[in-house]
């Protein structure tokens, strides 16, 4: 058998293997999203809230109630309702919000960039401080640096985030007036920038509107710092744990025995071996922030996905609830896929 033929067969096998992996990944994604939709849909139908009342109000007569009940398809079996909803989803039709009277897709396009902006800044703050703090705590284990870092992390874990948010508003807004009470931007700057991303920080930078940029940054910094502190507490503890595990390995002891300095041991050897683990926990923290900003968005009146979802649940607006949950699921899967790709790039052993 010629070398060329063998090379072609090896290439075909690699292509086939890649195709199988892609098909498996797509099947897992589709199954996950379908399961998410089924659970959310069924739970939404079981909660003690009447979506018809949310549309017609509690003063409507019985004939109006019955008419809307049928128009919403609630007289059909639940599996028929779900099939109809699934067909709409395939056509990218998420239905209409009964609260805002807008298409859910339009509402999500408006509110999600606000949450994305907040969660991204919080993740940058959390990872930027948490990872170095955790590594420093591991390297200085048993010293005052380690004790302080662990106390900071413990406080971040054990303190309710809404309490921190309320306290920050009382101190820095009510007493000192150095932060805004809430919202994304000052009223007089609203509508000055409408860009392609719906992120006020990014769009104002692209448009060169510096007043809008500083106003948006002024509003986001307090909630982002609070969320970032919570993320930092988690990431510092995980980083400390990962680094301590590596520092106990024999190759580290061997490197020290050969006289290698602490800095090369930490950054050239130990850190390289925890990069994938760190990437995993940062991705998890980011996903957690995207769907866990409900409390902080409520405290700071931040018009994001968390506040939108809370309002939808309160008024039994199931189209908005299902659309929001599906979006959160898609984003979480996308982040996990992206982190998986990065794993393979930085660590060939995971390929």
């Amino acid at each position: 058998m010629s070398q060329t033929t063998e090379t072609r067969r090896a290439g075909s096998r690699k292509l086939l293997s890649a195709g199988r992996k892609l098909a498996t990944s797509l099947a897992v994604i589709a199954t996950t999203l379908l399961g998410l939709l089924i659970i959310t849909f069924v739970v939404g139908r079981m909660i003690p809230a009447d979506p018809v009342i949310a549309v017609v109000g509690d003063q409507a007569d019985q004939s109006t109630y019955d008419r809307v009940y049928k128009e919403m398809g609630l007289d059909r079996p639940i599996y028929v309702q779900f099939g109809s909803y699934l067909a709409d989803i395939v056509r990218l039709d998420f239905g209409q919000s009964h609260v805002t009277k807008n298409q859910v897709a339009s509402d999500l396009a408006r509110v999600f960039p606000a949450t994305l902006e907040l969660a991204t800044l919080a993740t940058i703050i959390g990872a930027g401080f948490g990872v170095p703090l955790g590594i420093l705590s591991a390297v200085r284990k048993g010293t005052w640096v380690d004790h302080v870092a662990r106390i900071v992390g413990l406080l971040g874990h054990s303190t309710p985030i809404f309490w921190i948010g309320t306290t920050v508003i009382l101190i820095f807004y009510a007493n000192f007036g150095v932060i805004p009470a809430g919202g994304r931007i000052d009223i007089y700057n609203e509508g000055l920038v409408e860009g392609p991303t719906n992120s006020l920080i990014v769009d104002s930078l692209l448009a060169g509107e510096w007043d809008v940029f500083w106003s948006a940054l002024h509003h986001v910094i307090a909630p982002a710092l609070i969320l970032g502190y919570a993320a930092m507490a988690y990431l510092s503890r995980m980083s400390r744990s990962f680094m301590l595990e590596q520092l106990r390995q024999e190759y580290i002891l061997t490197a020290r025995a050969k006289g290698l300095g602490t800095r090369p041991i930490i950054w050239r050897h130990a850190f390289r071996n925890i990069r994938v683990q760190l990437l995993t926990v940062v991705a998890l923290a980011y996903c957690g922030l995207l769907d866990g900003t409900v409390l902080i968005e409520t405290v700071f009146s931040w018009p994001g996905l968390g506040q939108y979802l809370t309002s939808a649940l309160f008024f039994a607006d199931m189209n908005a609830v299902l659309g929001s949950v599906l979006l959160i699921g898609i984003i979480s899967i996308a982040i996990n896929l992206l982190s998986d790709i990065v794993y393979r790039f930085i660590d060939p052993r995971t390929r």
Side-chain angles (χ1 to χ4, degrees):
M1 184 181 298
S2 67
Q3 185 176 359
T4 304
T5 304
E6 183 61 29
T7 303
R8 287 178 179 173
R9 288 185 176 180
S12 299
R13 285 196 293 270
K14 286 184 179 178
L15 190 61
L16 185 61
S17 175
R20 287 175 178 169
K21 288 180 180 178
L22 179 62
T24 303
S25 298
L26 291 176
V28 170
I29 292 171
T31 305
T32 304
L33 291 178
L34 181 62
L36 186 66
L37 275 179
I38 291 174
I39 293 172
T40 310
F41 191 87
V42 172
V43 172
R45 289 294 183 265
M46 294 173 65
I47 60 176
D50 193 338
V52 181
I53 293 295
V55 175
V56 301
D58 54 5
Q59 302 298 322
D61 55 49
Q62 188 62 40
S63 62
T64 303
Y65 181 93
D66 294 340
R67 178 176 56 79
V68 174
Y69 186 82
K70 289 184 178 179
E71 287 177 355
M72 295 176 69
L74 297 175
D75 57 327
R76 297 177 294 175
I78 190 169
Y79 62 88
V80 177
Q81 296 177 38
F82 181 73
S84 176
Y85 179 75
L86 202 58
D88 290 339
I89 290 294
V90 173
R91 295 194 299 270
L92 299 180
D93 180 6
F94 295 89
Q96 186 184 38
S97 166
H98 305 316
V99 175
T100 65
K101 308 301 180 186
N102 299 324
Q103 289 296 312
V104 172
S106 173
D107 282 344
L108 294 178
R110 175 175 52 83
V111 300
F112 183 66
T115 296
L116 189 66
E117 188 176 82
L118 179 60
T120 301
L121 281 174
T123 304
I124 292 172
I125 292 169
F129 288 95
V131 173
L133 185 65
I135 292 175
L136 182 64
S137 176
V139 174
R140 302 288 181 86
K141 181 185 176 186
T143 65
W144 68 269
V145 176
D146 183 30
H147 296 318
V148 170
R150 293 173 68 184
I151 290 172
V152 169
L154 188 61
L155 286 174
H157 265 292
S158 57
T159 309
I161 199 165
F162 69 89
W163 182 85
I164 299 177
T166 306
T167 304
V168 166
I169 287 179
L170 286 175
I171 295 175
F172 294 100
Y173 167 71
N175 289 337
F176 298 108
V178 294
I179 65 169
R184 281 183 83 185
I185 197 168
D186 293 321
I187 294 176
Y188 49 84
N189 284 320
E190 286 184 354
L192 293 180
V193 171
E194 293 182 358
T197 67
N198 282 335
S199 166
L200 288 177
I201 292 178
V202 175
D203 291 341
S204 59
L205 277 176
L206 293 176
E209 293 283 352
W210 293 105
D211 289 342
V212 178
F213 171 76
W214 288 116
S215 176
L217 194 63
H218 189 208
H219 280 72
V220 77
I221 195 67
L225 280 173
I226 294 169
L227 282 174
Y229 175 55
M232 184 198 73
Y234 169 68
L235 292 173
S236 67
R237 293 190 66 177
M238 298 306 294
S239 303
R240 181 180 184 275
S241 176
F242 295 152
M243 183 56 75
L244 282 176
E245 183 181 351
Q246 289 299 316
L247 293 179
R248 297 190 192 103
Q249 300 297 317
E250 290 186 358
Y251 75 92
I252 295 293
L253 299 177
T254 304
R256 282 178 173 159
K258 289 182 177 180
L260 196 62
T262 300
R263 185 171 296 178
I265 288 175
I266 299 300
W267 297 109
R268 292 182 192 171
H269 299 281
F271 183 75
R272 292 185 63 180
N273 287 332
I274 66 172
R275 290 178 301 176
V276 173
Q277 293 171 297
L278 287 176
L279 188 60
T280 302
V281 294
V282 170
L284 289 174
Y286 193 30
C287 292
L289 289 173
L290 281 174
D291 58 14
T293 58
V294 175
L295 292 175
I296 209 69
E297 286 188 1
T298 302
V299 171
F300 282 90
S301 300
W302 188 260
L305 183 62
Q307 196 177 65
Y308 179 73
L309 180 57
T310 305
S311 173
L313 284 167
F314 184 78
F315 290 104
D317 189 356
M318 291 313 299
N319 284 338
V321 172
L322 288 168
S324 301
V325 171
L326 183 62
L327 176 62
I328 291 170
I330 291 173
I331 295 298
S332 298
I333 290 172
I335 291 174
N336 282 315
L337 283 177
L338 182 62
S339 60
D340 189 47
I341 293 171
V342 177
Y343 297 161
R344 296 167 185 270
F345 178 74
I346 65 177
D347 189 353
R349 292 173 299 179
T350 60
R351 294 174 187 170

